[in-house]
Amino acid sequence: MQTIAHWLDGKAFAGTGGTTAPVTNPATGVVTGEVTLANVADTRAAIDSAAKAFPAWRDTSLTRRTQILFRFRELLNERKEELARLITAEHGKVLADAIGEVSRGLEVVEFACGIPHLLQGGYTENASTKVDIFSIRQPLGPVAIISPFNFPAMVPMWFFPIAIAAGNTVVLKPSEKDPSPSLWLARLWAEAELPAGVFTVVQGDQVAVDELLDNPVVKAVSFVGSTPIARYVYQRGTAAGKRVQALGGAKNHMVVLPDADLDLAADAAVNAGFGSAGERCMAISVVVAVGGAADELVGKIAERAATIKTGDGTRGADMGPLVTRAHRDHVADYIAAGESAGATVILDGRGVEADGATDGFWLGPTILDNVATDMSVYTDEIFGPVLSVVRVDTYDDALALINANPYGNGTALFTNDGGAARRFHNEVEVGMVGINVPIPVPMSYYSFGGWKNSLFGDAHAHGADGVRFFTRTKAVTTRWLDPSHGGLNLGFPQNR
């Protein structure tokens, strides 16, 4: 059984904390390792390492920084299947999905390779008589990333390529459920010749998180996770004077109008609802069937979902297990609660026959029809392979339903009516919108982030927002005169 620890000063670090947590293969139920959980001293050592490395990295030329980033990009692209296998072994998602995760993270690395032009300042000559003004963008210092279990590679890569390219140093605190990908990435950075201390990994739980939030050396925190924890991170981090971007939970609706291509919509609902066993913050968890589309649409979704092969992600299955046994049972409890509350169980995944070990954390695709908005399967973020169908009469009813929801991460509309589509993306109160696209995750050069309880803070992930988040502007006013003095003048300076 392997022991998974930290990465400090460019090498593995065992730490001084004696507490560990099990790491399990969700497809077998077998404990494959133990992750060492950092105590306060370990976390401070990681922060101090990042702080020590910052001045030299800040002063490293943009050319050199991007050369290292390019090298990291090439190594990651060559070995992404190796990282994908590691993700599957600890998270459980199928290999094809894991490769897709790494590939989307790689897009942000590629975006960061072109960061020099985004770090340009401005210059005004002779703004006042013989006075020039210029602005520059500078890094913040050591920054922290607290990432979730569902995307152990992609979510950290939303943040650290931009942070590092901009001249910051990074302390990554990954989920203790699947900690190995973070160390794999750290070794890859070392191979790309990133200086020691620029990228540090500290494994841990709330002890490590709280130190990252409280420690004044850490200048900014990027977080992705559930809404209650995102709110906690934002409040505690900002109280300590830090910049914080905390991406929270979701309840993503897919509206299907009667004029939509129902085969396209059904494919999209199944792909977006059951990919990665529903453990995505951008998963479609609610299909809003408008008017007469409902019966035929539900039938098409059920027909497709019944063909999904659930099993071990290394065996060619379509959908893998859930991340832990406790989470599997929790999701199953939601299905029972929905059924008890009056929802119609169209497809029940609780008794699925999976292609995998008996002790795997299996739950098959589940469809609940006639779901009401006061049921827990609608109000709560389930984070599992459960698709709820809500029926409404009109477009206006569907829009009101989404806008009344406390979450605002992603949404989609399926229609062939361009006017309805334009009205929808203008009126819906959600941060990311898809038109005939079920999972509207933006490209890396746009920013990822929701509205309402899906985001705490002003900055979204990656894109231009990411560059702004990891830098701050400095305005410099200069005057170079002939060797003479202008005399005393205590009045407020005026531009002339």
Side-chain angles (χ1 to χ4, degrees):
M1 185 180 298
Q2 63 175 331
T3 299
I4 304 157
H6 321 289
W7 186 265
L8 186 76
D9 292 333
K11 57 185 181 294
F13 171 60
T16 60
T19 305
T20 62
V23 178
T24 306
N25 184 333
T28 63
V30 174
V31 176
T32 57
E34 289 188 339
V35 58
T36 301
L37 304 179
N39 55 23
V40 172
D42 294 336
T43 310
R44 287 179 180 172
I47 294 169
D48 291 344
S49 174
K52 182 179 178 181
F54 172 65
W57 184 244
R58 174 198 60 202
D59 294 336
T60 299
S61 71
L62 263 175
T63 299
R64 176 59 179 158
R65 294 206 301 254
T66 53
Q67 285 173 345
I68 293 172
L69 207 67
F70 269 110
R71 188 175 296 115
F72 178 80
R73 185 266 173 203
E74 292 302 300
L75 292 170
L76 180 59
N77 190 50
E78 290 170 4
R79 302 179 195 172
K80 60 184 176 183
E81 292 185 4
E82 180 183 335
L83 178 56
R85 288 192 293 271
L86 199 59
I87 293 168
T88 296
E90 293 186 352
H91 174 274
K93 66 178 66 177
V94 300
L95 275 173
D97 196 28
I99 291 173
E101 169 184 345
V102 178
S103 297
R104 291 307 299 266
L106 184 61
E107 291 175 6
V108 183
V109 179
E110 292 168 348
F111 169 80
C113 287
I115 205 171
H117 79 284
L118 296 175
L119 296 178
Q120 286 178 324
Y123 194 97
T124 301
E125 186 180 36
N126 225 34
S128 187
T129 304
K130 296 187 178 181
V131 173
D132 305 329
I133 302 176
F134 62 92
S135 65
I136 55 178
R137 303 198 70 88
Q138 292 189 317
L140 307 177
V143 300
I145 299 168
I146 303 168
S147 63
F149 74 85
N150 60 326
F151 287 102
M154 185 186 74
V155 166
M157 282 193 280
W158 281 353
F159 304 109
F160 69 66
I162 298 173
I164 289 173
N168 302 279
T169 54
V170 169
V171 179
L172 170 62
K173 206 298 289 182
S175 169
E176 60 271 30
K177 294 181 177 67
D178 42 14
S180 295
S182 61
L183 293 180
W184 189 95
L185 289 165
R187 295 187 194 99
L188 205 70
W189 273 122
E191 190 171 343
E193 300 182 9
L194 186 73
V198 176
F199 185 80
T200 299
V201 178
V202 57
Q203 312 284 359
D205 52 16
Q206 187 174 348
V207 173
V209 169
D210 285 349
E211 180 60 27
L212 292 171
L213 295 176
D214 294 342
N215 195 303
V217 175
V218 176
K219 302 304 180 186
V221 176
S222 300
F223 171 86
V224 177
S226 69
T227 286
I229 306 303
R231 182 182 289 110
Y232 171 85
V233 167
Y234 179 74
Q235 291 175 344
R236 186 157 180 161
T238 54
K242 306 182 191 306
R243 288 187 180 184
V244 180
Q245 49 181 177
L247 283 67
K251 198 70 180 180
N252 302 321
H253 298 69
M254 187 179 108
V255 177
V256 182
L257 297 184
D259 72 300
D261 181 329
L262 295 187
D263 287 313
L264 175 66
D267 288 342
V270 172
N271 294 336
F274 303 124
S276 196
E279 292 175 328
R280 294 172 175 162
C281 67
M282 288 297 283
I284 291 296
S285 54
V286 181
V287 171
V288 184
V290 179
D295 287 343
E296 185 179 359
L297 176 63
V298 171
K300 289 178 179 291
I301 292 173
E303 180 183 359
R304 287 160 170 77
T307 67
I308 292 175
K309 179 182 178 181
T310 303
D312 190 319
T314 63
R315 298 185 185 180
D318 302 310
M319 191 181 86
L322 274 72
V323 68
T324 65
R325 188 179 306 280
H327 184 52
R328 184 265 171 213
D329 294 344
H330 186 58
V331 175
D333 288 344
Y334 271 112
I335 299 170
E339 186 177 23
S340 298
T344 305
V345 181
I346 302 296
L347 184 65
D348 193 339
R350 288 172 289 184
V352 68
E353 294 184 7
D355 179 21
T358 304
D359 291 333
F361 310 143
W362 310 114
L363 186 68
T366 299
I367 302 170
L368 301 177
D369 195 6
N370 299 302
V371 170
T373 56
D374 59 350
M375 297 179 183
S376 61
V377 290
Y378 176 80
T379 59
D380 298 354
E381 183 182 29
I382 298 175
F383 226 60
V386 180
L387 192 63
S388 297
V389 179
V390 177
R391 299 177 179 231
V392 299
D393 293 330
T394 67
Y395 164 88
D396 287 329
D397 294 334
L399 181 69
L401 186 77
I402 298 172
N403 287 349
N405 195 276
Y407 296 107
N409 208 44
T411 190
L413 175 73
F414 278 73
T415 183
N416 284 312
D417 185 337
R422 190 178 190 281
R423 182 182 169 192
F424 183 76
H425 75 66
N426 179 58
E427 295 176 337
V428 74
E429 296 173 5
V430 174
M432 292 171 284
V433 181
I435 305 298
N436 297 321
V437 175
I439 306 179
V441 177
M443 295 295 289
S444 59
Y445 42 85
Y446 284 86
S447 294
F448 181 104
W451 289 9
K452 298 185 283 191
N453 284 346
S454 295
L455 175 70
F456 298 87
D458 299 323
H460 290 188
H462 59 70
D465 267 19
V467 177
R468 284 190 290 268
F469 182 79
F470 288 116
T471 59
R472 52 188 172 184
T473 302
K474 179 183 288 182
V476 182
T477 304
T478 66
R479 178 170 57 187
W480 298 100
L481 297 176
D482 295 331
S484 62
H485 297 282
L488 298 178
N489 185 348
L490 303 187
F492 194 82
Q494 299 182 44
N495 293 326
R496 300 183 186 278

